[in-house]
């Protein structure tokens, strides 16, 4: 956890922007850390790898819901985040944790189904879709962390995820014949794009802290600016979907920047456990004893991505 604490304390939070009850605070590396910045690890994102044909997602030989096989045919690693949606196959899925897929190798990754009423289609054709709502990412993260502590692996609570998607369908008045998360998010594409336009990426930001309504709800941080920029719009829309799900229209956060900074500091003070990642590297899981849970994917002593979630009921 020393790696995680050092990573968090090498960053500072800027003043945020606000729209429709959502605040986004860019997070920048401190000047001292920026001078010591190491070269990029040379990975590409999942969306880039799928679009270029470098990476393919496939159903397992004995296809079943909680696993997919990822083939990375290129020399560079591929970064995929928890909540990244894969559309196609026999069912749409979302990844249960952030992973680095090694080059020129096949990796079995843990996933959750986000389309309840379909089990047919091409077993070897997937494309990238949306990112899970931050609220659903938080629920999935809690399931996976609990199962890891119980030595059950990176497993979610599938029925809870299906129930949450069904509730979102009802809330937004969406009729989806296969109870698909993708259909829910597609129905609100224009609203989500408004948020992405209102919160463009900061040129030097490596991540963001986000507040919704009365509290800070989460953060996503990366090891470099280029990755943050590539994921920025997708993550903004993930947080915006949570704001829309919760029907938040205004914010009462007053000491804004201070609260965002303290959110990161509370995470830095948290204890946790280390587990093997489904890909390469380590998966650090914060215990959430100070109101912040989360995970960090690290490779060779370097945090590549960290996702943080405020525990329910915490300010």
């Amino acid at each position: 956890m020393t790696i995680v604490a050092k990573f968090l304390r090498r960053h500072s939070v800027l003043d945020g922007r606000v729209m429709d009850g959502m605040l986004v605070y860019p997070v920048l590396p401190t000047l001292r850390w920026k001078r010591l910045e190491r070269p990029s690890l040379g990975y590409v994102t999942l969306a880039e790898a799928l679009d270029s044909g470098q990476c393919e997602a496939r159903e397992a030989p004995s296809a079943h819901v909680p696993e997919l096989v990822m083939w990375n045919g290129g020399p560079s690693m591929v970064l995929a985040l928890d909540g990244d949606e894969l559309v196609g196959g026999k069912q749409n899925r979302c990844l249960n944790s952030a992973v680095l897929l090694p080059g020129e190798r096949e990796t079995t990754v843990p996933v959750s189904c986000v389309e309840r009423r379909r089990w047919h289609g091409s077993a070897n054709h997937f494309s990238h879709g949306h990112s899970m709502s931050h609220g659903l990412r938080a629920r999935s993260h809690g399931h996976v962390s609990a199962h890891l502590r119980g030595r059950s692996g990176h497993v979610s609570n599938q029925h809870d995820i299906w129930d949450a998607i069904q509730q979102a369908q009802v809330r937004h008045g969406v009729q989806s014949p296969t109870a698909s998360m993708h259909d829910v998010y597609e129905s609100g594409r224009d609203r989500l794009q408004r948020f992405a336009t209102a919160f463009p990426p900061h040129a030097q930001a490596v991540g963001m802290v986000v507040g919704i309504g009365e509290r800070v709800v989460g953060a996503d941080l990366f090891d470099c600016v280029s990755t943050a920029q590539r994921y920025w719009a997708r993550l903004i829309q993930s947080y915006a979907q949570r704001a829309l799900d919760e029907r938040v229209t205004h914010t009462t956060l007053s000491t804004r920047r201070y609260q965002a900074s303290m959110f990161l500091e509370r995470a830095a003070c948290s204890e946790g456990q280390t587990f093997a990642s489904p890909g390469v590297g380590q998966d650090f899981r914060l215990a959430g004893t100070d109101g912040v849970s989360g995970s960090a994917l690290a490779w060779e002593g370097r945090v590549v991505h960290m996702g943080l979630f405020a525990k329910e009921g915490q300010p």
Side-chain angles (χ1 to χ4, degrees):
M1 295 304 297
T2 302
I3 294 172
V4 172
K6 286 182 177 179
F7 174 77
L8 286 167
R9 288 173 176 149
R10 287 167 175 161
H11 295 89
S12 58
V13 177
L14 298 186
D15 288 332
R17 294 186 178 189
V18 61
M19 188 188 93
D20 292 351
M22 184 165 132
L23 291 120
V24 177
Y25 313 88
V27 178
L28 276 62
T30 60
L31 289 176
R32 178 178 178 275
W33 177 240
K34 193 172 181 181
R35 294 190 197 102
L36 299 174
E37 191 173 19
R38 290 176 286 177
S40 168
L41 290 172
Y43 57 78
V44 297
T45 65
L46 178 61
E48 292 170 316
L50 289 171
D51 286 346
S52 69
Q54 174 182 334
C55 186
E56 292 181 356
R58 308 167 181 168
E59 297 286 357
S62 298
H64 59 304
V65 172
E67 287 184 340
L68 286 177
V69 174
M70 305 291 291
W71 166 249
N72 177 10
S76 59
M77 294 186 293
V78 174
L79 173 65
L81 300 193
D82 60 293
D84 272 353
E85 183 187 29
L86 291 160
V87 177
K90 293 183 177 295
Q91 285 178 322
N92 298 348
R93 316 294 220 291
C94 278
L95 273 76
N96 287 353
S97 65
V99 294
L100 272 174
L101 305 173
E104 300 175 341
R105 197 181 307 175
E106 191 174 84
T107 305
T108 300
V109 296
V111 294
S112 297
C113 171
V114 288
E115 185 181 26
R116 192 170 196 165
R117 302 194 193 106
R118 183 172 72 90
W119 187 250
H120 61 82
S122 172
N124 294 333
H125 179 72
F126 284 90
S127 58
H128 64 93
H130 296 276
S131 179
M132 263 186 181
S133 157
H134 183 263
L136 192 50
R137 280 181 67 204
R139 290 171 75 156
S140 176
H141 174 271
H143 303 325
V144 173
S145 294
H147 281 113
L148 282 170
R149 289 191 292 270
R151 300 181 183 277
S152 300
H154 290 75
V155 183
S156 71
N157 183 326
Q158 182 62 72
H159 285 281
D160 186 57
I161 288 173
W162 277 335
D163 289 347
I165 294 169
Q166 179 64 37
Q167 292 164 16
Q169 283 184 249
V170 173
R171 189 180 303 114
H172 298 290
V174 176
Q175 297 294 321
S176 172
T178 60
S180 165
M181 181 192 85
H182 190 77
D183 289 346
V184 176
Y185 295 176
E186 280 293 298
S187 73
R189 175 185 284 272
D190 290 344
R191 288 176 296 173
L192 295 176
Q193 184 56 47
R194 283 183 58 242
F195 282 91
T197 302
F199 300 112
H202 186 286
Q204 300 176 58
V206 293
M208 65 186 77
V209 179
V210 179
I212 295 175
E214 300 179 355
R215 66 196 188 106
V216 173
V217 298
D220 281 275
L221 306 174
F222 297 91
D223 66 320
C224 60
V225 172
S226 60
T227 310
Q229 297 222 343
R230 283 176 280 176
Y231 262 106
W232 193 274
R234 290 172 59 82
L235 288 171
I236 289 293
Q237 293 184 21
S238 170
Y239 285 100
Q241 185 65 51
R242 176 170 185 167
L244 294 172
D245 287 345
E246 297 178 5
R247 300 187 176 179
V248 176
T249 58
H250 67 281
T251 178
T252 57
L253 284 170
S254 54
T255 53
R256 296 175 178 174
R257 184 174 173 181
Y258 170 77
Q259 285 177 268
S261 297
M262 285 305 301
F263 184 76
L264 297 186
E265 179 58 28
R266 283 156 55 197
C269 293
S270 181
E271 297 180 351
Q273 291 177 271
T274 306
F275 302 91
S277 170
V280 296
Q282 296 79 43
D283 184 348
F284 296 94
R285 294 274 158 168
L286 278 63
T289 51
D290 198 16
V292 183
S293 62
S295 61
L297 173 63
W299 168 242
E300 295 186 342
R302 177 172 177 170
V303 173
V304 179
H305 170 258
M306 173 173 281
L308 299 175
F309 307 92
K311 296 187 74 174
E312 292 301 318
Q314 295 293 326

